[in-house]
Amino acid sequence: MKKISSVIIVFAIILVASFTVIRTASAEEVKITGVISKIEIAADQKSAIAVIKDNKSSESITITITDEATLDKFKDKRILEGDEIRTKFEKDGDKNTSKMFKKTAGC
Amino acid sequence: MTGRIAAIMLGCALLAATAIAKEHPGKEQILKDGYQGPKTCEACHPGKAREFLGTVHWKHASKVDHVDNLNPDEEHGMKNRIYTMCNGNDIVNNLKEVPPNALGKTKFTGCNTCHPGDHASDVGSTGPQAEQAIDCLICHSSKYDFSKRKPAKDKNGNVVMTQDRSTEAAANIGRPSIKNCMACHEAAGGGAMIKRGFSMAKDAEVHVTKGIICVDCHQVKNHKFPTGRDPNNWAHDGIYMTCVGECHTSKPHTDADYNKHTEKIACQTCHIPKTGGAFSKDFTKWEKQANGFYEPSTLKREVNETAPVYAWYNLTVSNTPTFIGPKGSRTDGKSKIYPFKIFQGKAYFNKKNGQLLSMDFAPPISNGDSLAGVASAAKILGIKDYEPVPGWQTIYFGSNHQVTPKNKALTCANCHAINGVLNFKELGYASKEIEKLTNPELYFEKLLKLQQENE
């Protein structure tokens, strides 16, 4: 009985680990440049979504932003709808999580 | 020593916390009367507006006596400099509306976009109108609405810079935060973290991790900012700063071997092992963007992606049309080895005198024609006799920010291994000296002990 339980536990661990590996492997890093068409800050102010129209494909892509520095720039309007940005995000299924989010403009 | 540093850090953190928590006196008055620009500030801080007009932040220039080939009696800075990170300056790239591009779109652009005035009172202006044009709140308010600061045309068609002069912004004032400083300093050189390539995020700079902000180190006196000695940062308020002072001593390590190095090795060399941002730009070749405007073609890396170069630096600067960088040697008795972010830019030189030419960005932004930009700049500057030929300039930027945690700083083998980061030959050492400097005998026992402790 003990042996069967051990085998089941080991099997479960392998299964969970496999899913984790597959999930990690499926996350893809994407870079785009485009204009922000929408910024929406979550009610708890801890995240936001920004919709970017990719300059190359013209596709609108929704990106979730959680880093404090970028959220702060949304709040005090250093980054606005209409600004062009360069972003690097992790695409995992339907969710795109920002890893870098910068305005292209400078002086 | 560690205890002392910890105490000072704690002190700084407490002071910062107090500063954040403490409300600026006069808030109720501001809420009652509203904000009327600098004259509201001057009710309690008389003379401060005039004082600010004399600083580098307003003048974008100062007299410079440590850089070759400059007239020490004249003022130099981003107001009038010509170099290849920013091939223009406040004069030729004065904030203006660029001509329409092929899509019929236009936009405002200019080097003095970050100048804390209203553009009607611009770089270096003086007098009562200039005093009242100062955007005090962009540096001092924690609630500044940046969407209100933008270039626009006034009723006479002049380009002005609007400001957030709301009561809310004025009621939330205090010492400048990192955000206030980086609003301008982050985007210099053509985009976020392009010019100097450092981040002041908590995870990127150990001082910020510990709660220290820009003005804790750049301790401002009467609006004058102490600066470091970046060979490419010429204008200054007459006061300089180093790591050694209130927070660090000249023998800051618990390890005597490390302390022996401080006489010849700048702190930055070991404690700022990486840099980033643009490492090359070509102002003769502008790339068309999706919005129909053009930008100078730029090779860039992310923060922390570039290895610095190391050179002796005696705090004086070589300045020629093709090179801006540190002067110094291992034998002059004044130099230390510093890290630099190296940058190479291509632009047009005047074949007739070898001097670097400036460029007005308005024409190339609109249609990619870089020579039209040179012609416009020459006209603005009154240069008639010129023949533009493309060429490269090398610039050494000081690497003075983005200090790494001490467990990630360079250690013995990073420099003394044969494949270490220091090129001893370039630094002036003879073959026999290099043999000694790269002999593992120097560090083996120490590193082995450390390795054993960490295993």
Side-chain angles (χ1 to χ4, degrees):
Chain A
M1 189 61 190
K2 255 186 174 177
K3 198 175 175 186
I4 293 170
S5 304
S6 303
V7 169
I8 290 170
I9 290 166
V10 168
F11 183 73
I13 290 169
I14 290 169
L15 201 65
V16 169
S18 308
F19 276 130
T20 310
V21 170
I22 290 165
R23 198 173 160 76
T24 308
S26 68
E28 172 196 1
E29 203 164 83
V30 182
K31 280 183 186 176
I32 62 164
T33 302
V35 174
I36 306 172
S37 60
K38 184 181 171 189
I39 296 172
E40 210 171 88
I41 302 173
D44 64 4
Q45 310 267 304
K46 288 181 178 164
S47 68
I49 57 129
V51 180
I52 318 296
K53 191 175 175 192
D54 181 9
N55 283 345
K56 281 187 183 158
S57 66
S58 294
E59 188 189 346
S60 285
I61 298 166
T62 302
I63 296 167
T64 303
I65 293 105
T66 52
D67 77 278
E68 211 179 302
T70 308
L71 289 172
D72 205 33
K73 287 177 184 174
F74 289 163
K75 288 174 201 166
D76 63 22
K77 299 174 187 170
R78 273 177 288 166
I79 298 181
L80 290 167
E81 290 171 4
D83 285 341
E84 187 184 67
I85 57 99
R86 184 177 297 113
T87 178
K88 185 163 73 180
F89 60 87
E90 200 173 83
K91 186 174 174 57
D92 190 358
D94 288 339
K95 192 166 184 191
N96 302 315
T97 308
S98 166
K99 297 288 164 198
M100 180 270 279
F101 199 92
K102 289 180 192 170
K103 265 170 91 162
T104 55
C107 64
Chain B
M1 182 56 64
T2 310
R4 190 178 163 201
I5 291 169
I8 291 167
M9 292 288 193
L10 183 64
C12 288
L14 285 172
L15 273 174
T18 312
I20 290 162
K22 199 176 167 188
E23 206 164 78
H24 189 278
K27 181 172 181 174
E28 283 188 10
Q29 197 67 36
I30 292 168
L31 288 171
K32 184 170 162 258
D33 297 342
Y35 181 65
Q36 280 90 42
K39 69 179 170 194
T40 299
C41 308
E42 291 241 312
C44 296
H45 307 284
K48 286 291 164 185
R50 181 178 290 183
E51 170 187 291
F52 184 68
L53 300 186
T55 68
V56 164
H57 273 91
W58 187 260
K59 297 196 302 174
H60 286 184
S62 74
K63 287 185 178 172
V64 177
D65 61 7
H66 63 287
V67 179
D68 287 353
N69 300 318
L70 296 182
N71 182 342
D73 298 325
E74 290 174 2
E75 295 200 328
H76 307 270
M78 68 177 275
K79 173 188 169 184
N80 54 5
R81 275 188 65 189
I82 303 168
Y83 65 114
T84 55
M85 170 59 86
C86 309
N87 195 206
N89 53 44
D90 292 335
I91 295 171
V92 299
N93 277 310
N94 182 21
L95 177 62
K96 55 178 156 307
E97 190 173 24
V98 305
N101 64 18
L103 301 173
K105 288 185 195 168
T106 184
K107 65 175 178 179
F108 294 97
T109 184
C111 295
N112 46 349
T113 309
C114 271
H115 183 257
D118 62 2
H119 195 236
S121 290
D122 197 19
V123 175
S125 56
T126 54
Q129 190 185 336
E131 287 172 24
Q132 292 312 311
I134 299 169
D135 193 352
C136 306
L137 303 183
I138 197 169
C139 298
H140 287 285
S141 173
S142 59
K143 295 272 172 136
Y144 195 92
D145 179 346
F146 287 86
S147 69
K148 291 182 179 166
R149 186 180 160 85
K150 56 190 175 193
K153 281 190 175 170
D154 67 10
K155 58 186 178 187
N156 300 318
N158 299 316
V159 177
V160 293
M161 183 62 85
T162 60
Q163 302 175 3
D164 179 7
R165 290 194 166 190
S166 65
T167 304
E168 195 198 1
N172 290 279
I173 46 175
R175 295 172 78 215
S177 67
I178 292 175
K179 178 177 82 176
N180 293 109
C181 302
M182 295 308 276
C184 287
H185 288 280
E186 179 178 280
M193 294 157 210
I194 288 289
K195 188 173 180 180
R196 300 185 186 278
F198 66 82
S199 164
M200 288 298 278
K202 278 181 191 167
D203 58 353
E205 158 61 72
V206 73
H207 294 93
V208 183
T209 314
K210 292 175 189 293
I212 295 169
I213 63 171
C214 308
V215 292
D216 288 331
C217 298
H218 296 267
Q219 291 181 0
V220 187
K221 289 185 183 79
N222 301 324
H223 282 113
K224 290 184 184 295
F225 276 72
T227 59
R229 303 297 292 255
D230 178 349
N232 193 49
N233 188 21
W234 295 353
H236 58 86
D237 277 328
I239 32 178
Y240 291 108
M241 55 183 280
T242 64
C243 310
V244 176
E246 275 181 41
C247 298
H248 305 288
T249 68
S250 58
K251 303 282 178 205
H253 310 97
T254 48
D255 184 320
D257 288 338
Y258 284 161
N259 280 339
K260 272 193 237 163
H261 285 70
T262 58
E263 205 175 302
K264 291 288 177 191
I265 309 281
C267 308
Q268 296 94 314
T269 300
C270 301
H271 292 275
I272 307 180
K274 290 282 180 186
T275 175
F279 62 94
S280 191
K281 268 192 195 185
D282 184 351
F283 282 98
T284 70
K285 185 183 173 190
W286 289 60
E287 289 180 312
K288 193 172 187 179
Q289 310 294 303
N291 56 15
F293 292 113
Y294 291 76
E295 289 288 330
S297 46
T298 304
L299 297 176
K300 52 190 172 253
R301 295 213 174 105
E302 294 302 330
V303 164
N304 253 340
E305 275 192 353
T306 311
V309 292
Y310 300 90
W312 292 101
Y313 182 33
N314 63 16
L315 311 184
T316 64
V317 176
S318 170
N319 169 40
T320 71
T322 56
F323 180 82
I324 298 168
K327 288 170 74 175
S329 75
R330 62 176 289 220
T331 54
D332 68 6
K334 299 174 193 164
S335 299
K336 287 187 182 187
I337 295 171
Y338 284 78
F340 298 94
K341 169 192 160 156
I342 204 159
F343 170 84
Q344 290 178 296
K346 189 178 184 182
Y348 293 101
F349 290 75
N350 186 352
K351 196 177 175 183
K352 299 197 170 181
N353 62 12
Q355 294 300 308
L356 181 63
L357 289 162
S358 189
M359 191 180 290
D360 173 6
F361 295 160
I365 282 176
S366 151
N367 59 23
D369 186 347
S370 57
L371 283 170
V374 172
S376 175
K379 191 176 171 190
I380 294 166
L381 297 171
I383 300 170
K384 288 179 183 156
D385 188 24
Y386 71 97
E387 188 183 335
V389 287
W392 289 92
Q393 180 189 54
T394 300
I395 302 172
Y396 282 55
F397 284 88
S399 196
N400 297 322
H401 296 88
Q402 208 161 289
V403 177
T404 196
K406 65 179 174 186
N407 61 351
K408 289 184 180 166
L410 300 186
T411 181
C412 316
N414 292 108
C415 296
H416 290 285
I418 280 180
N419 59 347
V421 298
L422 295 185
N423 184 333
F424 288 112
K425 193 174 176 190
E426 287 282 316
L427 290 166
Y429 290 90
S431 299
K432 287 229 162 160
E433 289 175 304
I434 296 171
E435 256 177 54
K436 276 188 192 169
L437 285 165
T438 54
N439 189 327
E441 200 65 45
L442 280 176
Y443 57 81
F444 194 91
E445 286 303 323
K446 183 189 285 284
L447 289 189
L448 183 66
K449 197 177 160 205
L450 270 174
Q451 187 174 280
Q452 286 164 347
E453 280 169 10
N454 292 328
E455 271 173 358

